[in-house]
Amino acid sequence: MAFIPARSSSQTTDVPPALILGAIGVVFGDIGTSPLYTLRECLKAAGGISQTNVFGIVSLILWSIIIVVTLKYVSFVMRADNDGEGGILALTALAARVAPVRLRTVLLTLGVFGAAMFYGDSMITPAISVISAVEGVELVDPHLATWVVPIALVILTGLFKLQKRGTGTVGKVFGPVMIVWFLTLAVLGLSNIARNPGILRGALPSYALNFVAHAPGTAFVVLGSVFLALTGGEALYADMGHFGKTPIRLAWLLLVLPSLILNYFGQAALVLSTPSALTQPFFSQAPGWALLPLVLLATAATIIASQAVISGAFSMTKQAVQLGLLPRIPVIHTSTHEVGQVYVPFINISLYAAVVFLVVFFRSSDNLAAAYGIAVASTMLLTTLLMYFITHCLWNWKPVATAAVIGPLAVVDAIFVASNAGKILDGGWFPLLAGGVLFTVMTTWHRGREMVVERVKSDNLPLPAFIHSLCDGSHPPPRVAGTAVFPGGVPGMTPSAFMHNLKHNGVMHETNIFLAGTTENVPHVPESEKVSVSDLGHGCYAVAARHGFMEMPNVPALLLLVQKQIPAWQYESAATSFFLARDTILATAQSKGMSLWREKLFAFMARNAAQAAEYYSLPANRVVEMGGQINL
């Protein structure tokens, strides 16, 4: 990847209400559905209901949300935008631009691991969210308990099946539904607080501190469940590029945060007065007549939460492909207006299979809660570590100021990671296993591509020198009319497809364009900076194309930009042929860069990557593929 200076992004002072509504509907679904199970799991981890436990836990939940979500993400991390974009990969790219060169590989590794953990979260969120909502039917009729898993599977199957239609249409109703959800949380909480207003004393941090001091071992275990109230906090930063900082901050401070806190305190007040409500404290807040509507509303909210994390997985996959962390995967744009709305069939079916496994294997939100947390906590800790380089290297904070902010945040994140580590054997192994597999895949693909480039540079000739010797020699090849374009080359090197064309056909086209693309560590590259043309003479041009990691390469569109820099040439699709090298990767165990099994894994991924013609948006009837072989 290339490293270029960051460009500042402008912030508008006018916030359209539609952006705030959209942020409420998309950004806060995960964290907004946490009250369905968080307090219940915390009290179970603490050993049951007592005044000390209830006051201490609700205080821990409150101050964890304030410190991690409000102070860390909303006030601090969201300042670190990469041209307006957020998320672990965007932050990694930003940190890598400003960090010392010797540390960039380490930062990339941290970012890749964080992305792998995000995929683990993407698998668990739909499962635990939907099944926890459906469990509310047990209060309507206990005989329906055996139907919880089948109903959840039907809902999830429908959700994943609808992904190919895109989120645009459904997204229009997300905001209003989530507003109703958060207002319902607030009303339910207030109604129970009114019956036991003394619970508001739990807002004092002294209750959290006393709980930890009284039973530190128990408190450490409980923190693993308290963290359930924070899952989804990373989404505030990851979705920043869709809505902007201000709409997310306003929605959080004015609606989401107050609603969540009121509901947690309302549940705490309820279990103190009615200990039997511990089985389902969230649904027990509602009167009998409102129970079924609340179950339906909760189900709708969890579907929205699941949709948000699935869409996030699609977007992250697109970024990972562009950054060279994953092989080419077919990406379908589901909207003609919003470039960010994409559908990735392979990721969709993979997530669906993982979610079905989780629901069938764990069968309840109680069991799934044990698997939840470790992946998100790891990502949050990595975000804090990356922020060190932002504050120190980009914002030029003094070491004392950097340590004063990053140090406490890192300690808090590390405590949550450690407390969630205790749940590994109970289910936390699943996201770690899934994340470990994805980390291996991404690092193998990234290193394999580097090795291929190294091999191309060692085996092929420099392009300018080769064109000069070929065309200025005593026997230049015959020329044919039209334009030949060679996409996907290594900058400065002769493409193997060009060599194969000369070898097999013995001709050169009248105009030859050698296109080498790079992905920059910015989300978008302005059109005026996308292409740079070098005239090699003899009708040959070397074109350096630059893309952001949120952009998909479109070669025909790039050629329209190229023609502006070549006055004597015009791009005509019917007169242009695109030559692609279809290289076969062979694992030889002779390289020192990777072990044999990783070489075989890379070769397998290369064989099964999406067609280059589709990836580059080339017209199918103008593509010529020429085979070759690369020995690792």
Side-chain angles (χ1 to χ4, degrees), residues 4 7 83 318 322 339 514-520 522-534 542-565:
I4 62 176
R7 292 177 287 132
D83 258 3
K318 178 182 174 182
Q322 285 300 95
V339 69
F514 303 94
L515 186 61
T518 57
T519 299
E520 308 291 357
V522 292
H524 305 280
V525 174
E527 188 173 284
S528 59
E529 302 175 16
K530 278 192 180 296
V531 295
S532 174
V533 180
S534 299
V543 177
R546 301 170 60 232
H547 294 90
F549 58 76
M550 293 292 290
E551 300 173 308
M552 298 296 289
N554 185 317
V555 170
L558 289 175
L559 293 178
L560 294 176
L561 300 177
V562 169
Q563 71 180 7
K564 297 178 182 179
Q565 300 186 36

Side-chain angles (χ1 to χ4, degrees), residues 478-603:
R479 309 295 283 260
V480 295
T483 299
V485 179
F486 302 89
V490 176
M493 306 305 299
T494 304
S496 57
F498 180 63
M499 301 291 290
H500 293 322
N501 187 44
L502 283 175
K503 178 180 178 180
H504 295 290
N505 298 323
V507 297
M508 282 180 63
H509 283 68
E510 181 183 5
T511 302
N512 297 271
I513 295 179
F514 303 94
L515 186 61
T518 57
T519 299
E520 308 291 357
N521 284 341
V522 292
H524 305 280
V525 174
E527 188 173 284
S528 59
E529 302 175 16
K530 278 192 180 296
V531 295
S532 174
V533 180
S534 299
D535 190 347
L536 304 176
H538 308 286
C540 298
Y541 302 91
V543 177
R546 301 170 60 232
H547 294 90
F549 58 76
M550 293 292 290
E551 300 173 308
M552 298 296 289
N554 185 317
V555 170
L558 289 175
L559 293 178
L560 294 176
L561 300 177
V562 169
Q563 71 180 7
K564 297 178 182 179
Q565 300 186 36
I566 306 178
W569 175 78
Q570 293 291 315
Y571 169 58
E572 297 179 10
S573 178
T576 302
S577 298
F578 300 90
F579 291 84
L580 297 173
R582 191 176 181 85
D583 293 319
T584 300
I585 307 296
L586 293 182
T588 62
Q590 297 178 358
S591 79
K592 298 180 180 179
M594 286 195 301
S595 58
L596 178 60
W597 71 268
R598 291 185 69 197
E599 287 185 5
K600 291 182 177 179
L601 175 60
F602 175 72

Side-chain angles (χ1 to χ4, degrees), residues 25-27 118-119 121-123 125-126 159-160 162-171 174 235 238-239 242-243 303-319 331-332 334 339-344 347-348 351 550:
V26 174
V27 177
F118 175 85
Y119 282 109
D121 176 42
S122 301
M123 297 171 187
T125 296
L159 175 64
F160 280 95
L162 287 174
Q163 292 305 308
K164 60 184 177 183
R165 298 181 180 272
T167 60
T169 302
V170 181
F174 281 8
D239 289 323
H242 295 283
F243 303 100
I303 290 173
I304 291 172
S306 302
Q307 176 63 65
V309 77
I310 294 168
S311 299
F314 292 162
S315 297
M316 180 165 287
T317 300
K318 178 182 174 182
Q319 294 181 31
V331 175
I332 300 173
T334 59
V339 69
Q341 292 185 14
V342 295
Y343 166 62
V344 186
I347 297 298
N348 191 61
L351 285 179
M550 293 292 290

Side-chain angles (χ1 to χ4, degrees), residues 40 42 83 121 137 152 194 213 226-227 235 329 411 478 482 499 534 570 586:
R40 180 191 69 201
C42 290
D83 258 3
D121 176 42
V137 301
V226 169
F227 187 78
I329 299 174
V411 169
M499 301 291 290
S534 299
Q570 293 291 315
L586 293 182

Side-chain angles (χ1 to χ4, degrees), residues 37 123-133 228 302 359 365 368-369 372:
Y37 44 80
M123 297 171 187
I124 298 179
T125 296
I128 191 173
S129 298
V130 172
I131 203 169
S132 62
L228 296 172
T302 56
V359 171
S365 59
L368 278 166
Y372 208 21

